[in-house]
Amino acid sequence: MAEDAPRRHPTLDEVAGLAGVSRSVASRALNNAPHVSRAKREAVERAVRQLGYVPNPTARALATRQTGAAALVVSGEDPSIFADPFFAQVIVGASAALEEADLHLMLCLAATDRGRKRVEELLLSRGADGVMLMALREDDPLARMAQEAAMPVVFGGRPVGPAPRWYVDVDNVGGAREATEYLISLGRTRVAAICGRLDTEAGRARYRGYRDAMLAAGLDPFTPQEGDFTEPSGAAAMAALLAHHPDVDAVFAANDNMAAGALRTLREAGRTVPADVAVVGFDDLTVARIADPPLTTVHQPITALGREMARMLVALIDGQDPTPLILPTRLVPRSSA
């Protein structure tokens, strides 16, 4: 008679599946780590008994070093950036996904040398189980810090330069191209672009999408009129466009805040939207719906961006190796174009 095959040991993933929790929650529950609810801890204990699971000593040692928190780090100059509707939606999505994994969300703003130093200490000291980085600019020191980090790091939006190993982004090029193609389909031929900061990948990618659509239609792209993604910068950029190109008949703005600024300048200049100048934004924030006229824009799934960043980070914390993710965009026609 053949010998019985050796009995396979149950895995932590199987324990987590039976208990109905994530792998990281199961790991923290087994190691008496904080930030695990009583109900989830008891569910894990039942699964362990049912499966006969025996923890791996090495895995146990690693798990006991977990802090039960993940950090969202934004590289910006203004502390009010977290009140921006865009980042508010990112926070909502990330917080919900981390709550499912019983991880707390820490918010960090790297706005000053002191702030960046604190973030560097966080990255190198394992002051959190993982970090999500957003709003990086070209040559941002946080990108280098991330490469040297002692913990998993996920980028929200690709930084300028080589793509990092783990990131979640939206289809910036495709969304901007679709917006510009839509304006051209309306018969507009003098289509200008108010782009975001050109030291960010989002700013560059959205201008590339605009330029690609213009060239494909046999039209000359305008030189990018740069803003900083705020309403005042959009208003100033639109004023500059009218001064240099008074015959402009359409504008693609790289976000809704700048598009709203463009609408204000056009109204003050006596231009009718969309009869004289059609305007399309990007984001589909609340400002797009309440603008006068309501703003045609490119919807990007901002809450999903935060959620998928957090899910990717939890997967890394759990020892998995997820692949980068690009989220789709779609055009939302309204009255401005």
Side-chain angles (χ1 to χ4, degrees):
M1 179 180 295
E3 294 184 1
D4 291 339
R7 183 176 181 273
R8 186 179 66 84
H9 296 293
T11 67
L12 181 58
D13 286 322
E14 291 170 333
V15 170
L18 183 59
V21 300
S22 71
R23 191 177 190 276
S24 59
V25 169
S27 176
R28 290 199 299 277
L30 286 170
N31 291 282
N32 295 317
H35 313 301
V36 180
S37 68
R38 180 177 178 180
K40 290 182 179 179
R41 195 181 299 275
E42 291 175 350
V44 170
E45 291 171 353
R46 286 194 299 271
V48 166
R49 290 194 298 270
Q50 185 172 336
L51 294 172
Y53 173 76
V54 178
N56 179 285
T58 302
R60 178 184 291 274
L62 290 172
T64 56
R65 296 210 302 265
Q66 293 184 335
T67 66
L72 174 62
V73 177
V74 177
S75 181
E77 298 173 349
D78 184 356
S80 67
I81 194 169
F82 286 123
D84 184 294
F86 176 88
F87 287 103
Q89 290 185 42
V90 169
I91 291 169
V92 167
S95 179
L98 292 176
E99 185 176 347
E100 293 174 0
D102 275 5
L103 288 169
H104 290 290
L105 176 62
M106 301 165 52
L107 299 178
C108 304
L109 180 63
T112 63
D113 289 341
R114 181 179 180 184
R116 283 186 288 272
K117 181 65 176 176
R118 293 180 64 185
V119 171
E120 183 174 21
E121 292 172 355
L122 174 74
L123 289 167
L124 299 179
S125 67
R126 293 196 65 92
D129 291 340
V131 170
M132 297 166 284
L133 288 180
M134 293 199 70
L136 296 192
R137 298 176 184 170
E138 189 174 17
D139 299 325
D140 196 312
L142 287 182
R144 173 190 56 78
M145 297 178 196
Q147 293 176 348
E148 302 170 356
M151 68 185 74
V153 177
V154 170
F155 288 79
R158 286 165 291 185
V160 174
R165 187 170 180 182
W166 297 295
Y167 65 85
V168 180
D169 206 349
V170 300
D171 186 7
N172 290 302
V173 173
R177 183 172 55 242
E178 183 180 15
T180 308
E181 289 171 345
Y182 177 74
L183 288 168
I184 295 169
S185 75
L186 299 177
R188 310 298 171 128
T189 59
R190 299 285 294 166
V191 183
I194 299 176
C195 65
R197 296 185 60 116
L198 291 176
D199 60 355
T200 67
E201 180 58 26
R204 293 183 181 187
R206 293 175 192 177
Y207 182 72
R208 285 199 302 272
Y210 155 82
R211 183 194 60 200
D212 291 349
M214 293 289 284
L215 292 174
L219 300 173
D220 293 329
F222 280 50
T223 300
Q225 191 68 47
E226 188 174 356
D228 63 3
F229 296 112
T230 64
E231 192 271 355
S233 75
M238 190 69 245
L241 282 170
L242 290 176
H244 294 95
H245 306 283
D247 58 345
V248 63
D249 62 7
V251 174
F252 164 64
N255 83 334
D256 289 344
N257 291 330
M258 293 191 299
L263 290 177
R264 174 163 62 87
T265 293
L266 288 167
R267 185 166 53 249
E268 292 171 352
R271 301 293 182 96
T272 302
V273 177
D276 297 328
V277 183
V279 179
V280 175
F282 198 115
D283 282 341
D284 198 18
L285 299 173
T286 300
V287 66
R289 294 188 290 275
I290 65 175
D292 182 20
L295 187 65
T296 295
T297 187
V298 176
H299 174 86
Q300 64 163 318
I302 304 172
T303 302
L305 175 67
R307 181 175 63 248
E308 295 303 327
M309 285 168 54
R311 286 178 174 174
M312 184 174 291
L313 186 62
V314 170
L316 287 169
I317 294 170
D318 288 349
Q320 303 173 39
D321 186 13
T323 57
L325 181 62
I326 302 292
L327 301 174
T329 61
R330 59 181 172 83
L331 187 73
V332 180
R334 295 194 180 97
S335 304
S336 69

